[in-house]
Amino acid sequence: YCFLPLYVFSGEKLLVSYLRPSRIDGAKHSWAILALLTKRLRQAWPKVKLIVRGDSGFCRWRMLNWFDRHDVGYVIGIARNSRLNRYAGRLIRKAGRGYKQSGKKQRLFEEFRYGAGSWSYRRRIIAKAEHSSRGSNPRYLVTNLTQSPKYLYDKLYCPRGDMENQIKEQQLDLFADRTSCHHWWPNQFRLLLSSLAYCLMQRLREIGLRGTEYARAQVGTIRLKLLKIGAVIIRNSRRIKFFLSSAYPHQHLFCQAVARLNTS
């Protein structure tokens, strides 16, 4: 009796917020959403290079095949299994020996070709063998990109975690989790309102607060410290006037943000 949202981000910019029933595969509809996005983005920028990244919940062979056929790059997590661990066994053992000898955390990378039983062909797999005081922690990615394993893991895949913060902003600070209506459409509409609010706040950070102490602040912080101002509202037949508190400590920053937004 819950809903499962699907978010797509490009950096900090929100592209998709789509509500689905929770009793389905977590990757359901993602292929269709990405196909529509690819078509639309290439209409605007025909030569743009598109790269999709996601965790292992989105590792579906039909979607990977579609990416390969339509020249879309991808770097996607793939869940650990005994076969992958066997392929990377030498690297995993090497990381374990390095930690035992030095007492310092070890991170080693390599690549190999691998094909799951349902796949049409073998693909490039990036293996990261990590060994620390908590023991061995191997991780795997599947990709059709050509950069080095370490670059793909550290520079392309790991920044994916930042979108968790953006999802948290919508769920906690912009009330995207309020999906208590009985039907899908009202709840989807609520999600869209939350997403529009996020887009407005992101533009405020990007333009109005650029170069200030709040340029990277969370939505909740901006609401509390910049937008939550005591005011008196006076309304007559001709106009509505807002008298903001003269004791507001961020008056200069507020006026600067308003001026930037008006001229952008």
Side-chain angles (χ1 to χ4, degrees):
Y1 299 100
C2 299
F3 289 99
L4 179 65
L6 175 67
Y7 289 102
V8 182
F9 289 91
S10 176
E12 294 184 349
K13 292 180 171 60
L14 177 62
L15 302 182
V16 173
S17 58
Y18 171 54
L19 206 60
R20 303 163 297 165
S22 63
R23 59 181 183 276
I24 61 171
D25 175 15
K28 188 136 179 112
H29 302 160
S30 56
W31 176 15
I33 292 291
L34 291 172
L36 291 171
L37 272 178
T38 299
K39 180 180 179 180
R40 181 65 187 91
L41 291 172
R42 283 180 171 164
Q43 283 179 348
W45 302 286
K47 297 182 179 180
V48 72
K49 175 65 175 176
L50 299 177
I51 299 175
V52 174
R53 64 184 176 193
D55 60 25
S56 59
F58 296 95
C59 186
R60 299 293 186 270
W61 68 273
R62 293 182 186 275
M63 190 155 63
L64 299 181
N65 286 352
W66 190 91
F67 291 151
D68 288 332
R69 290 197 308 272
H70 291 83
D71 192 31
V72 176
Y74 58 85
V75 53
I76 295 177
I78 179 171
R80 284 178 285 185
N81 60 51
S82 57
R83 283 186 64 197
L84 288 172
N85 287 340
R86 188 162 63 249
Y87 275 102
R90 181 192 61 81
L91 191 72
I92 294 172
R93 293 190 292 272
K94 183 178 178 181
R97 290 194 300 269
Y99 176 77
K100 186 176 293 186
Q101 292 169 3
S102 66
K104 297 180 180 179
K105 180 179 178 179
Q106 302 292 306
R107 295 176 80 249
L108 305 176
F109 296 88
E110 72 172 11
E111 62 178 274
F112 51 84
R113 307 294 292 187
Y114 166 83
S118 59
W119 292 7
S120 305
Y121 41 84
R122 293 158 70 87
R123 291 183 167 88
R124 186 187 185 200
I125 301 296
I126 304 302
K128 182 203 72 168
E130 180 176 297
H131 201 107
S132 65
S133 58
R134 297 184 177 183
S136 179
N137 182 29
R139 297 293 181 91
Y140 304 99
L141 308 176
V142 58
T143 184
N144 61 356
L145 303 178
T146 59
Q147 291 94 330
S148 70
K150 189 175 189 304
Y151 175 86
L152 288 175
Y153 192 91
D154 286 343
K155 301 300 183 181
L156 281 186
Y157 182 72
C158 284
R160 177 196 63 81
D162 189 48
M163 72 182 65
E164 300 292 343
N165 293 323
Q166 292 143 22
I167 293 173
K168 182 177 72 174
E169 284 185 302
Q170 294 189 74
Q171 296 289 311
L172 300 182
D173 298 330
L174 296 172
F175 315 110
D177 60 340
R178 292 185 178 178
T179 53
S180 57
C181 295
H182 290 185
H183 301 289
W184 178 82
W185 267 116
N187 290 306
Q188 175 63 51
F189 182 66
R190 285 182 170 185
L191 183 65
L192 289 175
L193 291 177
S194 171
S195 301
L196 290 170
Y198 172 84
C199 292
L200 288 173
M201 296 295 281
Q202 177 53 29
R203 292 293 284 172
L204 173 61
R205 282 186 293 213
E206 187 178 16
I207 298 174
L209 300 176
R210 184 179 64 250
T212 71
E213 60 182 304
Y214 293 120
R216 301 291 299 169
Q218 294 278 301
V219 167
T221 300
I222 295 173
R223 284 178 56 214
L224 179 64
K225 295 192 174 182
L226 188 66
L227 304 180
K228 201 170 185 179
I229 309 172
V232 174
I233 302 174
I234 297 178
R235 177 179 179 179
N236 57 34
S237 58
R238 299 179 61 187
R239 60 178 59 89
I240 300 174
K241 292 184 178 180
F242 292 83
F243 293 91
L244 304 182
S245 171
S246 60
Y248 175 51
H250 299 297
Q251 294 181 50
H252 174 72
L253 182 59
F254 184 91
C255 294
Q256 175 183 295
V258 170
R260 286 180 174 180
L261 290 172
N262 282 336
T263 58
S264 65

